[in-house]
Amino acid sequence: MKYFVLIALFLMLPVSALSQYVFEGQVDPSDWNGQAYLSEIKDYRKLNGVFNEQLIQRVPLDSLGIFRFSGNSLSEANKLYRIHVDRCASYEQDLNHFTGNCEHSKAMIIIANNKDSISLPQRFDNEIFCEAISTNEATLALLKVDSIMEAMKYEFVGLRSETAVNNLLDTWTKRLHEFGAEQDPLVGLYIYTTLTDRSTIFYDHHLRSLNKTDFYDTLKTRLEDQYPEDATSKQYFKELQADKSLAKMEEAVDHSNLYLGGGVLVLLLMGVGYFYGRKRPGKIKAALTPQEEKILQLIKENKTNKEIASELFISHSTVKSHVNNIYRKLGVTSRDEIKSLTIR
């Protein structure tokens, strides 16, 4: 009789009470600081930092580097989350989680809800967060978006003309839009976040092409239907409106520029180009991280990525990521350009 009552009570529980998420993975415990962190992304402009106000759970790594987040406190609807590990000493944690500036971290963005299970296996050469086994197809779609973006970046190497760059941006943006249109709206939101990063050339292209696509208006409708109260949806609604206003201003400026004398415009652009060409490298140097400065020096010493990885005791893929960041910050597209720069 006692067991019958317990079973009956169990069956009477609401479905939400039975839900439980499990996110687990493995890292090299000698390479990371002993803890893994789970954050809820409440501001998609803070995808890449470590922000204390977004942290919702931290768990220790065991002796094999395995970590496991579990519970039933997440939303029943999909949300954006971030799992990360870092190399920061304990006394640096609070500072980094306050400023969001944690250079020595590795993270993965996931889309999940209270019922999902996600496994993040450790790959060869201690690579982590490069693949996932997930009950939520949206997380796998995020990995696909990242792979598309990575392929696009490599196609940019060697391009010189503005026309070639814009054509490539058009091609890859269309590919991302077509992929995102078939996925969970939060995947589309992730694509928007990536293509509107104001520190990259993507944002200017986004403004120029905003009126040529219905992807963003359709995404707004889909978010209103599925995630109307989500903080990131509300953020998107405001930013999209701001983007449209800026796009109109850019268009107005472009039209007014048509009336400028050709010779005056050319001289002006040459002057601006000369100024930034002289000043930019010195300013950008200050923005490089200590690790990027080391890699920059090794590049100027004609070291290959493999040699750099060996000398700095880091993986080959980590070197490639740093090199891409250096290219972006210095405004170059090749090692030869780096070697020709005079950097103060």
Side-chain angles (χ1 to χ4, degrees):
M1 181 66 179
K2 178 175 67 175
Y3 294 112
F4 176 79
V5 172
L6 289 175
I7 292 172
L9 289 173
F10 179 80
L11 293 175
M12 291 172 62
L13 288 172
V15 175
S16 60
L18 304 178
S19 301
Q20 185 177 47
Y21 66 90
V22 178
F23 309 150
E24 56 190 357
Q26 183 176 16
V27 300
D28 184 348
S30 65
D31 211 16
W32 304 97
N33 80 346
Q35 293 189 96
Y37 303 86
L38 176 65
S39 303
E40 179 185 339
I41 305 299
K42 299 177 181 179
D43 178 348
Y44 53 70
R45 296 302 173 192
K46 294 182 177 181
L47 284 179
N48 299 318
V50 180
F51 299 95
N52 194 54
E53 73 274 14
Q54 296 189 150
L55 286 173
I56 57 176
Q57 192 176 0
R58 67 181 74 194
V59 296
L61 307 178
D62 69 11
S63 60
L64 297 177
I66 296 173
F67 62 86
R68 189 174 192 267
F69 300 102
S70 63
N72 63 354
S73 59
L74 300 187
S75 168
E76 295 301 311
N78 280 348
K79 284 183 178 290
L80 286 163
Y81 296 96
R82 183 179 192 268
I83 295 174
H84 92 268
V85 291
D86 61 46
R87 295 189 178 94
C88 301
S90 57
Y91 65 87
E92 297 175 304
Q93 290 288 344
D94 289 340
L95 176 61
N96 287 333
H97 293 174
F98 176 75
T99 63
N101 179 29
C102 190
E103 296 177 358
H104 306 294
S105 68
K106 186 76 172 179
M108 184 175 190
I109 307 300
I110 62 173
I111 293 176
N113 58 58
N114 204 45
K115 301 182 290 293
D116 281 325
S117 297
I118 298 176
S119 176
L120 309 176
Q122 184 179 12
R123 296 176 61 193
F124 60 90
D125 196 26
N126 293 326
E127 287 297 321
I128 59 173
F129 301 160
C130 296
E131 61 179 292
I133 302 169
S134 175
T135 57
N136 196 317
E137 291 294 325
T139 284
L140 305 181
L142 292 185
L143 288 174
K144 177 64 175 178
V145 172
D146 287 340
S147 69
I148 293 174
M149 290 296 300
E150 193 66 21
M152 176 171 61
K153 290 176 184 177
Y154 280 106
E155 282 206 26
F156 272 104
V157 177
L159 292 182
R160 292 293 184 272
S161 73
E162 182 178 353
T163 300
V165 169
N166 285 331
N167 287 340
L168 187 62
L169 285 170
D170 287 340
T171 299
W172 284 93
T173 297
K174 181 180 178 182
R175 187 172 301 180
L176 285 166
H177 287 177
E178 290 175 346
F179 178 75
E182 302 297 325
Q183 309 299 324
D184 186 288
L186 292 180
V187 177
L189 184 60
Y190 182 73
I191 290 172
Y192 167 80
T193 304
T194 303
L195 293 179
T196 56
D197 183 345
R198 287 154 175 79
S199 66
T200 69
I201 62 173
F202 298 133
Y203 185 62
D204 287 340
H205 178 268
H206 164 72
L207 292 180
R208 290 194 300 269
S209 60
L210 184 58
N211 295 324
K212 301 176 183 177
T213 176
D214 61 358
F215 174 79
Y216 299 107
D217 286 329
T218 301
L219 176 59
K220 179 176 182 291
T221 300
R222 296 173 67 208
L223 287 170
E224 287 172 335
D225 289 342
Q226 291 187 236
Y227 306 107
E229 298 304 317
D230 191 277
T232 54
S233 294
K234 294 179 179 179
Q235 181 182 1
Y236 173 73
F237 302 153
K238 293 178 181 178
E239 286 199 9
L240 180 60
Q241 186 59 45
D243 288 348
K244 289 183 176 181
S245 297
L246 285 172
K248 288 182 180 178
M249 293 173 61
E250 290 283 341
E251 187 176 356
V253 170
D254 288 343
H255 287 163
S256 66
N257 283 341
L258 294 176
Y259 298 100
L260 292 175
V264 173
L265 182 59
V266 169
L267 289 175
L268 176 61
L269 292 176
M270 288 176 62
V272 171
Y274 177 79
F275 175 79
Y276 281 103
R278 291 291 299 270
K279 297 296 183 181
R280 191 180 181 194
K283 290 182 178 180
I284 292 299
K285 180 64 160 58
L288 296 181
T289 66
Q291 187 78 317
E292 288 168 354
E293 290 182 5
K294 292 178 185 177
I295 292 174
L296 175 64
Q297 184 56 43
L298 293 172
I299 289 174
K300 293 177 78 67
E301 293 174 8
N302 293 317
K303 300 281 188 178
T304 66
N305 284 359
K306 184 176 182 181
E307 291 171 334
I308 293 172
S310 176
E311 185 162 335
L312 297 181
F313 302 101
I314 57 179
S315 70
H316 187 258
S317 64
T318 299
V319 173
K320 289 195 291 185
S321 295
H322 282 308
V323 171
N324 285 334
N325 287 338
I326 292 170
Y327 280 8
R328 175 174 57 80
K329 291 179 179 181
L330 294 183
V332 300
T333 57
S334 69
R335 290 173 179 251
D336 289 337
E337 287 187 53
I338 285 180
K339 295 169 189 176
S340 67
L341 292 176
T342 301
I343 303 177
R344 297 186 293 278

